Amino acid sequence: MKKTRVTITDIARELNIAPSTVSRALKDHPALKRETKQAVKALAKKLDYRPNLLALNLLQKKSNTIGVIVPEITSHFFSAIITGIQDVIGTSDYNIIICLSNESYDEEMTIVDKLSKIQVDGVLVSPSSETNNFDHLVRLQKSGIPVVVFDRDCPGLESDKVLVDDYSGAFQAVEYLIRSGCKKIAHLSGPINLSTAKHRLQGYLDALENNNMPIQKEYIVHVPGFSHKDGLKPTKKLLKLKDPPDAIFATNDNIAISAMHIAEKLEFRIPEDISIVGFDDQPNSSYVTPSLSTVWQPVYSIGMLSARILLHHLEEEDTKIGFRKEIFKPELVIRKSSKKI
Amino acid sequence: MKKTRVTITDIARELNIAPSTVSRALKDHPALKRETKQAVKALAKKLDYRPNLLALNLLQKKSNTIGVIVPEITSHFFSAIITGIQDVIGTSDYNIIICLSNESYDEEMTIVDKLSKIQVDGVLVSPSSETNNFDHLVRLQKSGIPVVVFDRDCPGLESDKVLVDDYSGAFQAVEYLIRSGCKKIAHLSGPINLSTAKHRLQGYLDALENNNMPIQKEYIVHVPGFSHKDGLKPTKKLLKLKDPPDAIFATNDNIAISAMHIAEKLEFRIPEDISIVGFDDQPNSSYVTPSLSTVWQPVYSIGMLSARILLHHLEEEDTKIGFRKEIFKPELVIRKSSKKI
DNA sequence: AAAGACCATGCAAAGGTTTGCATAAATAAA
DNA sequence: TTTATTTATGCAAACCTTTGCATGGTCTTT
């Protein structure tokens, strides 16, 4: 059963030539006679020779593999980014190993260790919400593995970065709510350790301040995670205030949708009694009722660009021209869950 | 900059012993003197020796890598399965390479070719909706690579399989619709090439027949894909019939949600005028309004079990006890998009 | 005819680890 | 003291491919 693969030596033996000649023939080395090349190629084809990449890896000391570290994969956000990464890397000779940190710093460390063990050639990473020490990434860099950070920033880490202007997205959303006449705008904020959550919160705060609106502490509630269920209690808390908000800007679409859910249960009319705006523009957000106003971000492009930057590094490692920092602009998409201006 | 790794030979040289002795010392070979082992281990630690897996791969002729082929990753369905796979494989020494076929037979072939080139040790695959020839998978098997098929069956292929009883899920859903008083039940069916779509359609047909209900051809419409937009036109077609259905059983939740969307636009009341039932039970399905009745399937478990079966094969390849075929039972979840019985 | 130039191919090392077999040293038995 | 036995370690091959250098041969030039 154990089909043993045909090697270059097998071909050499059969043709009574040296393995090195076979190797060169297969790569069209100019110094070889045409007939030799042809003979080798013909036999290689006949024998179904396939180069042993494992041997090549050892020789070149590289695994031709890229590690991708994401907190999770079930959200549309990260799965779309990964699709973008795949679509770029797929055309190269690299393979992708996707690793899930489950929003855990410890798991992230374990993953980095594993990736370094298997000698990946580069790493794309969006850190967990628990991570605020980036020594493990520095260690990667020090061992010569380029690191590209995407979406979630790693403050203090010097590396290539592909980010989104979360501040601007939040600012746009809140400013729009203000213009539409909302006076009491609440924010369901993400885990504060996260750069994205931090910037969205700041955008919210600045938009209010910019418009001379008061900032009310009880209108800012943090959600523990990013799935629907994480938004339920915080929303209830908001809506059961003596003076409930007339608008909610949620840190992402899932949270916004569960806010809508709770609001409807508590008999708030959307958007008449309360406007709700999310962040992400997941595909299903336009299909909920009322359809969700939200901040779109170019997920697929984030993945593609990150991958391209890494690939660029890998392919011409001579030119060290410092690190790139790319920031995508998100865009407000107005639908039916918020009042018209 | 190029930190060259510490090798076993470096340690050997420093200690004036043979590399083989170092190797054995690190694996606690019984024939070695305790002192030798200790000295080696101490130095290994001091020098931060890390075994070169690339070399091991070549020696053992295996890459310690598992290929996972899925049509896409942005749906909750496949991303949850992948999470299950990861959670199982993550505890082993294997790495996972996830490949997206984009529902294309050609891309699937290319992927299989690539995986075989890099000598993966096993493959988990859910075929594209275009695939109905499985020779590429047979080729993998013939070259000694075990294949586990999940969710979407490959009829005629002899391999391990982890499937869902789609027939039963559909039957339950349609029978429930009948009991709730619906007389004109339509089906938004998936691409007919897919085993899952086929079985769901059959469940639909048999449930009708079993209850002496007529089967009306115009009530069966195929959707081209599985995302929201794919359900829009087919739903319109159904609802604009002179005699529109009073229930729709959709082949998945996304399609069901876009059916709800269209129904509301056309001023059908849900569920009074029309009941809608989906398939999958994605997390957001309970957050749409009205919440979606659907057929739940154990996505995470599908991933875990598939991975376990493959791992089992890899770890004791001696015992060839034929192929396993595991079939999960789905369950109907009744919410608000369908009438109560 | 001798020297130089060129062409086609082979040799051998390198990459890091494992492992069966051999060997050396030390101890026990005769 | 010699032989048998054990104990601890080393040698070298194997995994497969690539590549700098060397070699042998043919051809051209003087």
Side-chain angles (χ1 to χ4, degrees):
Chain A
M1 266 299 123
K2 287 251 135 174
K3 288 232 177 158
T4 138
R5 279 169 162 257
V6 177
T7 76
I8 237 172
T9 326
D10 296 332
I11 298 181
R13 197 179 317 118
E14 189 126 341
L15 254 37
N16 258 323
I17 56 180
S20 49
T21 307
V22 176
S23 170
R24 281 188 262 250
L26 291 173
K27 339 195 79 182
D28 265 328
H29 193 286
L32 292 204
K33 251 200 309 207
R34 173 177 297 171
E35 313 148 37
T36 318
K37 288 190 205 172
Q38 282 177 344
V40 168
K41 284 183 186 169
L43 187 58
K45 190 158 205 176
K46 185 178 149 214
L47 262 39
D48 188 30
Y49 166 75
R50 331 195 72 200
N52 187 330
L53 299 189
L54 265 30
L56 252 198
N57 288 347
L58 174 58
L59 195 62
Q60 301 172 173
K61 293 182 169 194
K62 55 181 290 198
S63 60
N64 284 298
T65 298
I66 289 170
V68 178
I69 309 176
V70 284
E72 47 92 10
I73 201 186
T74 54
S75 71
H76 181 267
F77 182 78
F78 283 112
S79 57
I81 290 185
I82 286 177
T83 304
I85 294 174
Q86 282 273 13
D87 286 355
V88 169
I89 306 283
T91 64
S92 75
D93 283 336
Y94 289 93
N95 302 297
I96 308 180
I97 295 195
I98 294 166
C99 306
L100 312 180
S101 68
N102 291 314
E103 300 282 13
S104 150
Y105 174 58
D106 286 343
E107 294 196 38
E108 191 174 302
M109 301 262 283
T110 313
I111 289 168
V112 166
D113 193 58
K114 186 174 184 177
L115 291 179
S116 123
K117 250 193 206 129
I118 63 174
Q119 293 169 70
V120 291
D121 301 316
V123 168
L124 292 164
V125 57
S126 202
S128 90
S129 53
E130 285 181 10
T131 307
N132 45 28
N133 176 316
F134 307 108
D135 290 352
H136 52 311
L137 300 181
V138 173
R139 238 175 289 137
L140 277 180
Q141 292 179 319
K142 282 205 179 141
S143 67
I145 299 174
V147 171
V148 178
V149 171
F150 61 91
D151 185 53
R152 300 179 173 183
D153 195 9
C154 301
L157 180 72
E158 300 210 345
S159 76
D160 292 283
K161 296 182 175 180
V162 176
L163 308 174
V164 171
D165 191 343
D166 292 287
Y167 176 87
S168 153
F171 194 95
Q172 287 176 59
V174 176
E175 184 133 88
Y176 153 78
L177 287 170
I178 296 170
R179 294 237 186 94
S180 75
C182 298
K183 300 290 181 202
K184 302 174 291 180
I185 303 173
H187 180 36
L188 287 170
S189 170
I192 202 55
N193 194 35
L194 238 39
S195 70
T196 51
K198 221 174 292 180
H199 296 150
R200 288 174 203 178
L201 174 57
Q202 197 57 50
Y204 161 83
L205 294 171
D206 285 6
L208 290 182
E209 199 162 40
N210 234 38
N211 287 274
N212 301 311
M213 312 249 309
I215 285 160
Q216 287 184 260
K217 259 202 162 171
E218 66 270 29
Y219 281 170
I220 301 174
V221 184
H222 287 274
V223 296
F226 293 116
S227 53
H228 294 94
K229 66 170 176 18
D230 295 312
L232 300 175
K233 272 193 197 161
T235 308
K236 270 184 205 152
K237 195 171 157 194
L238 280 177
L239 298 186
K240 294 210 164 154
L241 288 173
K242 316 102 247 161
D243 187 20
D246 59 5
I248 295 180
F249 167 53
T251 197
N252 81 359
D253 280 3
N254 281 346
I255 301 294
I257 287 173
S258 61
M260 283 178 44
H261 190 72
I262 295 293
E264 278 172 356
K265 266 203 173 152
L266 298 180
E267 312 216 326
F268 284 74
R269 288 167 306 160
I270 306 171
E272 293 81 358
D273 301 330
I274 189 164
S275 286
I276 295 182
V277 175
F279 207 114
D280 275 356
D281 195 21
Q282 318 183 116
N284 63 316
S285 299
S286 44
Y287 291 95
V288 294
T289 316
S291 56
L292 182 67
S293 295
T294 185
V295 179
W296 169 88
Q297 36 182 347
V299 277
Y300 184 74
S301 304
I302 295 172
M304 295 224 301
L305 183 57
S306 310
R308 282 217 195 87
I309 291 178
L310 181 58
L311 227 44
H312 188 80
H313 266 286
L314 295 177
E315 275 161 11
E316 30 199 315
E317 48 183 316
D318 31 276
T319 49
K320 276 268 173 188
I321 7 151
F323 296 117
R324 285 176 66 178
K325 182 167 182 175
E326 303 287 340
I327 301 187
F328 282 100
K329 279 276 176 225
E331 268 173 37
L332 181 62
V333 180
I334 297 173
R335 299 208 181 91
K336 304 264 173 66
S337 66
S338 56
K339 284 185 280 190
K340 288 245 146 54
I341 294 197
Chain B
M1 265 296 124
K2 285 250 137 173
K3 289 231 176 156
T4 137
R5 282 170 162 255
V6 178
T7 76
I8 237 172
T9 325
D10 296 333
I11 299 182
R13 197 179 317 118
E14 188 127 341
L15 253 38
N16 257 324
I17 57 179
S20 49
T21 306
V22 176
S23 170
R24 282 188 263 250
L26 292 172
K27 338 195 79 182
D28 265 328
H29 192 285
L32 293 204
K33 249 199 312 209
R34 174 177 296 170
E35 313 148 37
T36 318
K37 288 190 206 175
Q38 282 178 343
V40 169
K41 284 183 186 170
L43 187 59
K45 191 159 204 173
K46 185 180 150 215
L47 263 39
D48 189 30
Y49 165 75
R50 330 194 73 200
N52 185 330
L53 298 189
L54 266 29
L56 250 198
N57 288 347
L58 174 58
L59 193 63
Q60 300 173 170
K61 294 182 170 192
K62 55 180 290 195
S63 60
N64 284 298
T65 298
I66 289 170
V68 179
I69 310 176
V70 284
E72 46 92 11
I73 202 186
T74 54
S75 71
H76 181 266
F77 182 77
F78 282 112
S79 56
I81 290 184
I82 287 176
T83 304
I85 293 174
Q86 283 271 14
D87 286 355
V88 169
I89 307 283
T91 64
S92 75
D93 283 336
Y94 288 93
N95 301 298
I96 307 180
I97 295 195
I98 294 167
C99 307
L100 312 180
S101 68
N102 292 314
E103 301 282 12
S104 149
Y105 174 59
D106 286 343
E107 293 196 37
E108 191 174 301
M109 301 263 282
T110 312
I111 290 167
V112 165
D113 193 57
K114 186 173 184 176
L115 291 180
S116 124
K117 251 193 204 125
I118 63 175
Q119 293 168 70
V120 291
D121 300 317
V123 167
L124 292 165
V125 57
S126 202
S128 90
S129 53
E130 285 181 10
T131 307
N132 44 30
N133 175 317
F134 307 108
D135 290 352
H136 52 312
L137 300 181
V138 173
R139 237 176 291 137
L140 278 180
Q141 293 179 319
K142 282 205 178 140
S143 67
I145 300 174
V147 172
V148 178
V149 171
F150 63 90
D151 185 53
R152 300 180 173 181
D153 196 9
C154 301
L157 180 73
E158 301 210 345
S159 76
D160 292 282
K161 296 180 174 180
V162 177
L163 309 174
V164 172
D165 190 343
D166 293 287
Y167 175 88
S168 152
F171 194 95
Q172 286 175 61
V174 175
E175 184 134 87
Y176 153 77
L177 286 170
I178 296 170
R179 293 239 187 92
S180 75
C182 299
K183 301 291 183 202
K184 301 174 291 179
I185 304 173
H187 180 36
L188 288 170
S189 170
I192 202 54
N193 194 37
L194 238 39
S195 70
T196 51
K198 221 176 292 180
H199 296 150
R200 288 174 202 179
L201 174 57
Q202 197 57 51
Y204 161 82
L205 293 173
D206 285 6
L208 290 182
E209 200 163 38
N210 233 37
N211 287 274
N212 302 311
M213 312 247 312
I215 286 160
Q216 286 182 262
K217 259 201 161 171
E218 66 269 27
Y219 280 171
I220 301 173
V221 183
H222 287 273
V223 297
F226 293 114
S227 54
H228 293 95
K229 65 170 177 17
D230 295 313
L232 300 176
K233 272 194 197 162
T235 308
K236 269 182 205 153
K237 194 171 157 194
L238 280 178
L239 297 186
K240 295 213 164 155
L241 287 173
K242 314 101 249 162
D243 187 22
D246 59 5
I248 294 180
F249 167 53
T251 197
N252 81 359
D253 280 5
N254 280 348
I255 301 293
I257 286 172
S258 62
M260 283 177 46
H261 191 71
I262 295 294
E264 279 170 356
K265 267 203 172 154
L266 298 180
E267 313 216 324
F268 283 74
R269 288 167 306 159
I270 305 171
E272 294 81 356
D273 300 330
I274 190 162
S275 287
I276 295 183
V277 176
F279 207 113
D280 274 356
D281 196 19
Q282 311 180 139
N284 63 317
S285 299
S286 42
Y287 291 94
V288 295
T289 317
S291 57
L292 182 66
S293 296
T294 186
V295 179
W296 169 88
Q297 36 182 345
V299 278
Y300 184 73
S301 305
I302 295 173
M304 295 224 301
L305 183 57
S306 310
R308 282 216 196 89
I309 290 178
L310 181 58
L311 227 44
H312 188 81
H313 266 286
L314 294 176
E315 275 162 10
E316 29 199 316
E317 48 184 314
D318 31 275
T319 50
K320 276 269 173 186
I321 6 151
F323 295 118
R324 285 175 67 178
K325 182 167 183 174
E326 303 286 340
I327 301 187
F328 282 100
K329 279 278 175 222
E331 268 172 39
L332 182 62
V333 180
I334 297 173
R335 299 206 180 91
K336 304 265 173 67
S337 67
S338 55
K339 283 185 280 190
K340 289 244 147 54
I341 294 197

